[in-house]
């Protein structure tokens, strides 16, 4: 924020002036708006360590980092040069190998590098480029000079978070942002998307390849896929046929031309790379050899991320590009060489010693890095011996003091160390630098606390111009357009949507029965009363324990729905995700607080309203394409099963008193029954309304009718003039029930329909999800 003379940099003056006019209450309200946006959008990262796998809210530092665009232009030129340099190094390592042959790169830094993938040697990537999207961790010293702390060429993360930081920060400072000439980010992503689309044939698809839901940055993978309109796939979604990468969809195998991978390269192909990988696709390397797929970035590109590589880049830059590096790396010495070992040992006070093959900057690797100035004198004396023994595995790096940026802590601005993550994308016109990125802000004065796993936070980066900037958008500017139908639905996504529908409906069915049970329990106060005992036995058979006011099995159904939705975040609206998580949190709160009887009845009513809200969002807002149909089929199938089981258990001649009235209440059909039948509640009228009335959205026949209608719209419902197995079975079930009468609906008939509905689910899986 201030220069070497202690003066506030001009780029900060307008922002600080605006900030100075806001009191603490106003600031708190602004920050709350930003936090609320991130919370509603479901932005998270996954923490490792003691709380392994736990989702944590994105730690936004609300004050952005401001950089003048003239300074940024200089930085951009240096980073573009660096991207070209890294491309040349990767191309040489997997090509002619002249850097090693000419002594510019020690053989050990390639041969002993876990990121060097020997099966990829000699494989020329489709499109002729190894690198397409890279990032750089850069830092500024107190003197104002910038250096590169690390390079990211494996599967760079953070670009999606940078966009979310921007949206959240502008929610907090919308007026200030509008008055400040801040460069937009959309043009950067639009140019990259356009380039990827140009790297595939017309029938090919573009996909983001993710390790899955357990990955720490999974939210970003889903966000980027949704933001750019790409498919989000996991390794199991893909197969290689005849050297071509294909995605399994509900319409069969479809070709994939571009994969933006977000998993480490060695896990991509268990056939030729890491045989223990369960998240890759056998045959991917062979597809690369055939040139049928372009992978961003090329497998093996992470070889240049290693910390020791920084020591050799200056000389390599002069030899390959014929010029010095515009933006230097943090000073690094590989201790596999005698003179370098001696230099590090002699200057240990200002060194950080760490693993040579680490791909992380020292502040992300503080457990394995040793700060020389923190060592006791006796330990310093043994440094030379340590370096002589293990030098080939170690590097010494100059201990850097990062410049600070303002952070709002305890009601005031305080200085905190920061580094910047900046992104570069290869476009049709060459490398383009994102006009921004995100800053990692330390939790305290300790540089090691910059890492978010260590309590650091992230801030938006504003690149500020002195004149108005172009407002860019990912939406096309032309008035003419082509309406493209959504791409084929991956089988895994269809599976998750189908089960999301089933779990939601299962939870609703359980809630309706439990609400009716607790309503009567509040009246009788005796769980052994015949009707209550009968329903308890029914629920026990389904694994629902009425001894719990809010049963654990109900929580599990809702959690399963959240899990299924989490696996398809790229296809799930933020509103739907927010509603589903709100339902889950409310159910968990009730699980530990409600009491049987009236209290539980009220709680069930609240949850049913929230479920209805979620169902309404899905019904009103979700595009009526294949994914919606699978979710709907899941709901109809589960509702049909629920009503079939209930009627089979509670509508028999031996059912206890009050069972038929309870059935109508559970089926939300009390008023309809009164209007349609001029008689008291009877077994035949209840059966007619809840089993055979095609106009009642709770009846079994209604569910089968809707399933039949949706199946007709699915891919390959007809193949070679014949119905698919699933369509045939759905039609048979519908016709079989449609010709029944209330008198013929016996316990045995309900049992048969229950079995056949469960079989229908298996046939759907065999037809579309295998």
């Amino acid at each position: 924020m201030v220069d070497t003379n202690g003066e506030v940099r001009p780029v900060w003056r307008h922002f600080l002036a605006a900030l100075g006019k806001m009191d603490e209450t106003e600031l708190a309200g602004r920050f709350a708006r930003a936090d609320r946006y991130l919370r509603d959008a479901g932005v998270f990262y996954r923490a490792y360590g003691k709380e392994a796998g736990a989702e944590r809210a994105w730690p936004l530092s609300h004050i952005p980092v401001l950089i003048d665009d003239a300074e940024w232009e200089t930085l951009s030129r240096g980073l573009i040069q660096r991207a070209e340099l890294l491309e040349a190094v990767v191309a040489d390592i997997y090509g002619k190998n002249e850097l090693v042959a000419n002594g510019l790169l020690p053989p050990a830094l390639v041969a002993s590098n876990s990121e060097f993938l020997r099966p990829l040697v000699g494989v020329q990537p489709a499109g002729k480029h190894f690198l397409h999207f890279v990032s750089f961790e850069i830092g500024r010293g107190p003197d104002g000079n910038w250096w590169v702390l690390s390079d990211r060429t494996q599967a760079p993360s953070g670009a999606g978070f940078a966009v979310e930081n921007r949206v959240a920060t502008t929610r907090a400072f919308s007026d200030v942002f509008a008055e400040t000439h801040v460069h937009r980010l959309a043009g950067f992503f639009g140019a990259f998307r356009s380039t990827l689309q140009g790297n595939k044939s017309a029938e090919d698809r573009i996909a983001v390849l993710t390790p899955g839901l357990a990955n720490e940055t999974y939210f970003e993978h889903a966000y980027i896929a949704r933001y750019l309109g790409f498919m989000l796939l996991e390794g199991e979604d893909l197969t290689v046929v005849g050297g071509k990468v294909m995605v399994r969809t509900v319409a069969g195998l479809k070709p994939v031309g571009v994969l933006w991978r977000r998993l480490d390269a060695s896990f991509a192909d268990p056939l030729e790379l890491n045989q223990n990988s369960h998240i890759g696709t056998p045959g991917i390397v062979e597809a690369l050899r055939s040139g049928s797929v372009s992978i961003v970035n090329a497998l093996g590109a992470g070889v240049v991320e290693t910390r020791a590589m920084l020591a050799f880049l200056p000389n390599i830059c002069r030899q390959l590009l014929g010029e010095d590096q515009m933006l230097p790396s943090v000073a690094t010495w590989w201790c596999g060489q005698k003179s370098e070992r001696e230099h590090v040992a002699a200057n240990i006070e200002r060194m950080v010693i760490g693993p040579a093959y680490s791909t992380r900057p020292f502040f992300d690797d503080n457990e394995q890095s040793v700060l020389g100035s923190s060592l006791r004198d006796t330990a310093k004396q043994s440094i030379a011996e340590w370096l002589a023994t293990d030098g080939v595995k170690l590097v010494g790096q100059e201990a850097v003091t990062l410049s600070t940026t303002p952070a709002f802590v305890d009601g005031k601005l305080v200085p905190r160390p920061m580094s910047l993550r900046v992104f570069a994308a290869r476009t049709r016109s060459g490398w383009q630098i994102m006009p921004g990125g995100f800053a990692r802000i330390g939790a305290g004065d300790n540089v090691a606390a910059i890492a978010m796993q260590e309590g650091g936070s992230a801030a938006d980066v504003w690149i500020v111009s002195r004149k108005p900037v172009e407002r860019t958008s990912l939406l096309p500017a032309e008035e003419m357009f082509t309406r493209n139908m959504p791409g084929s639905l991956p089988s895994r996504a269809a599976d998750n949507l189908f089960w999301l529908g089933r779990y939601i409906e299962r939870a609703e069915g359980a809630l309706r029965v439990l609400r009716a049970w607790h309503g009567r329990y509040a009246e009788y106060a005796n769980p052994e009363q015949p009707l209550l005992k009968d329903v308890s036995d029914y629920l026990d058979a389904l694994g629902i324990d009425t001894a719990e006011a809010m049963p654990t099995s109900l929580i599990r159904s809702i959690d399963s729905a959240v899990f299924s939705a989490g696996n398809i975040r790229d296809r799930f609206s933020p509103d739907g995700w927010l509603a589903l998580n709100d339902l889950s949190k409310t159910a968990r709160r009730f699980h530990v607080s409600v009491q049987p009887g009236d209290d539980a009845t009220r709680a069930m009513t609240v949850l049913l309203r929230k479920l209805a809200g979620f169902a309404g969002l899905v019904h009103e807002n979700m595009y009526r394409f294949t994914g919606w149909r699978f979710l709907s089929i899941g709901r109809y199938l589960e509702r049909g099963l629920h009503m079939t089981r209930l009627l089979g258990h509670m509508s028999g001649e031996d059912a206890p008193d009050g069972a038929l009235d309870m059935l109508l209440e559970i089926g939300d059909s009390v008023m309809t029954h009164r209007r349609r039948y001029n008689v008291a509640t009877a077994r035949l009228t209840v059966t007619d309304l809840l089993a055979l009335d095609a106009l009642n959205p709770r009846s079994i026949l209604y569910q089968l009718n809707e399933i039949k209608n949706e199946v007709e719209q699915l891919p390959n419902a007809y193949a070679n003039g014949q119905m698919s197995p699933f369509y045939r079975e759905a039609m048979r079930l519908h016709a079989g029930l449609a010709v029944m009468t209330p008198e013929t609906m016996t316990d045995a008939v309900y049992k048969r329909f229950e079995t056949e509905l469960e079989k229908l689910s298996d046939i759907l899986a065999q037809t579309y999800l295998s």
Side-chain angles (χ1 to χ4, degrees), residues 301-316:
V303 68
V304 293
E305 282 192 356
T306 48
R307 204 179 293 179
M309 192 68 68
L310 298 175
F312 300 92
L313 288 181
N315 193 28
I316 292 174

Side-chain angles (χ1 to χ4, degrees), residues 353-657:
I353 299 177
Y357 300 105
S358 172
T359 60
R360 303 160 67 186
F362 70 93
F363 50 76
D364 272 353
D365 205 22
N366 56 309
E367 289 185 2
Q368 298 185 62
S369 298
V370 176
L371 184 62
S373 61
S374 67
L375 296 175
R376 296 179 179 178
D377 291 339
T378 52
K380 292 176 184 177
Q381 294 169 7
S382 62
I383 286 293
E385 181 180 343
W386 178 36
L387 295 179
T389 303
D390 297 324
V392 72
K393 302 176 184 178
L394 299 169
V395 292
Q397 289 187 304
E398 190 171 295
V400 298
T401 301
L402 294 175
S403 67
T404 61
T405 192
F408 199 80
V409 180
D410 296 330
K412 59 182 179 180
L413 292 179
V414 296
R416 288 287 186 260
M418 71 152 188
S419 70
L420 259 58
R421 185 168 296 180
V422 187
F423 302 89
R426 187 184 295 280
T427 69
R428 294 173 179 176
S429 58
W431 286 102
Q432 184 172 326
I433 304 298
M434 179 193 290
F438 76 81
R440 296 205 285 173
I441 312 297
D445 295 333
N446 182 7
V447 172
I450 284 180
M452 282 182 288
Q453 298 286 350
E454 302 296 330
S457 56
D460 190 18
V461 178
W462 292 6
I463 308 304
V464 182
S465 174
R466 291 180 174 84
K467 55 185 180 181
V469 298
E470 181 181 2
R471 292 177 177 266
T472 55
S473 169
L474 285 183
L475 297 175
E478 306 86 21
E479 291 187 7
M480 297 299 293
F481 66 92
T482 300
R483 178 184 287 173
N484 295 316
M485 290 303 289
S488 299
L489 181 70
S491 296
R492 182 181 55 82
D495 192 23
N496 279 291
L497 284 163
F498 173 70
W499 279 100
L500 171 62
R502 290 201 64 175
Y503 285 131
I504 283 296
E505 194 60 39
R506 187 172 297 176
E508 180 178 340
L511 279 168
R512 289 188 176 279
V513 178
L514 286 165
R515 183 174 67 170
W517 190 93
H518 280 284
R520 283 155 182 79
Y521 177 78
E523 179 182 351
Y524 298 125
N526 177 18
E528 297 301 317
Q529 192 269 346
L531 178 59
L532 293 181
K533 182 68 170 62
D534 183 69
V535 176
S536 291
D537 292 342
Y538 168 79
L539 291 172
D540 285 342
L542 298 178
I544 302 173
D545 186 3
T546 52
E548 297 180 282
M550 187 67 65
T552 302
S553 57
L554 175 64
I555 305 299
R556 282 200 297 266
S557 291
I558 295 173
D559 286 347
S560 295
V562 173
F563 179 79
S564 294
N567 277 300
I568 45 173
R569 286 292 295 273
D570 60 312
R571 298 175 180 274
F572 213 66
S573 75
D575 285 340
W577 181 252
L578 180 64
L580 197 54
N581 274 279
D582 180 50
L583 171 68
S584 177
K585 291 175 183 176
T586 304
R588 287 186 173 279
R589 188 173 72 249
F590 287 159
H591 179 60
V592 297
S593 63
V594 300
Q595 300 298 316
D598 283 335
D599 191 32
T601 303
R602 284 192 294 269
M604 304 294 177
T605 301
V606 170
L607 292 179
L608 283 169
R609 283 203 301 264
K610 289 181 180 291
L611 271 169
F614 171 77
L617 280 170
V618 169
H619 188 271
E620 294 298 325
N621 299 337
M622 196 169 177
Y623 189 81
R624 290 329 194 243
F625 200 58
T626 310
W628 183 83
R629 301 190 191 286
F630 275 94
L631 185 142
S632 297
I633 289 171
R635 292 196 67 198
Y636 296 138
L637 182 60
E638 190 67 33
R639 182 174 290 187
L641 267 170
H642 169 70
M643 190 53 68
T644 300
R645 291 189 185 114
L646 271 175
L647 285 167
H649 183 83
M650 299 180 65
S651 66
E653 293 182 358
D654 59 345
D657 290 343

Side-chain angles (χ1 to χ4, degrees), residues 62-305:
H62 301 92
I63 306 298
V65 175
L66 277 62
I67 300 176
D68 185 87
D69 68 348
E71 183 179 15
W72 191 256
E73 180 61 31
T74 302
L75 278 174
S76 297
R77 288 196 298 270
L79 293 176
I80 289 172
Q81 180 207 48
R82 194 174 186 92
E84 294 286 7
L85 174 61
L86 295 176
E87 168 73 28
V89 173
V90 176
D92 179 82
I93 289 174
Y94 289 100
K96 297 180 179 179
N97 205 22
E98 292 178 346
L99 292 175
V100 171
N102 295 334
L104 295 173
L105 200 58
L109 286 191
V110 177
S112 300
N113 192 328
S114 62
E115 300 298 335
F116 173 63
L117 304 180
R118 193 172 298 278
L120 275 302
V121 172
V123 177
Q124 185 70 21
K128 311 305 180 187
H129 294 297
F130 288 83
L131 301 180
H132 309 81
F133 194 90
V134 298
S135 71
F136 311 93
E137 201 77 28
I138 65 176
R140 180 163 57 187
D143 59 359
N145 292 321
W146 292 88
W147 354 264
V148 176
L149 303 172
S150 68
D151 304 297
R152 287 282 178 268
T153 56
Q154 170 73 267
S157 64
F161 289 124
V163 178
E164 290 287 38
N165 284 344
R166 173 60 56 85
V167 176
T169 304
T170 53
R171 294 288 176 95
F173 298 109
S174 56
D175 49 348
V176 183
F177 184 84
E179 298 165 357
T180 308
H181 305 314
V182 181
H183 287 272
R184 269 52 173 182
L185 305 180
F188 170 84
F189 288 99
F192 186 53
R193 181 177 67 176
S194 177
T195 303
L196 293 185
Q197 289 171 334
N199 290 342
K200 70 176 186 68
S201 60
E203 69 275 9
D204 285 344
R205 285 144 183 82
I206 303 175
V208 175
L209 182 60
T210 175
L213 187 61
N215 187 264
E216 67 173 323
T217 55
Y218 173 78
F219 168 83
E220 188 202 12
H221 307 168
Y223 180 86
I224 284 289
R226 186 169 61 233
Y227 185 58
L228 298 181
F230 299 159
M231 302 176 84
L232 181 68
L233 302 179
E234 296 182 22
E236 66 181 78
D237 295 324
L238 301 172
T239 187
V240 178
V241 180
K244 181 77 176 177
V245 178
M246 312 290 282
V247 55
R248 295 182 175 93
T249 78
V250 296
L253 297 178
K254 302 296 180 182
V256 175
V258 179
L259 278 175
W260 185 357
R261 68 175 176 89
R262 300 303 300 271
L263 76 168
D264 289 350
S266 62
F267 291 95
D269 187 346
L271 194 62
E272 296 199 50
L273 301 176
N274 186 339
Q275 296 180 6
N276 295 319
S277 171
H278 296 286
I279 57 176
T281 305
I284 282 283
V285 172
E286 185 57 37
L288 285 171
R289 291 194 185 101
S290 71
S292 65
V293 65
S294 177
I295 293 188
V296 179
N297 288 324
L299 298 183
V303 68
V304 293
E305 282 192 356

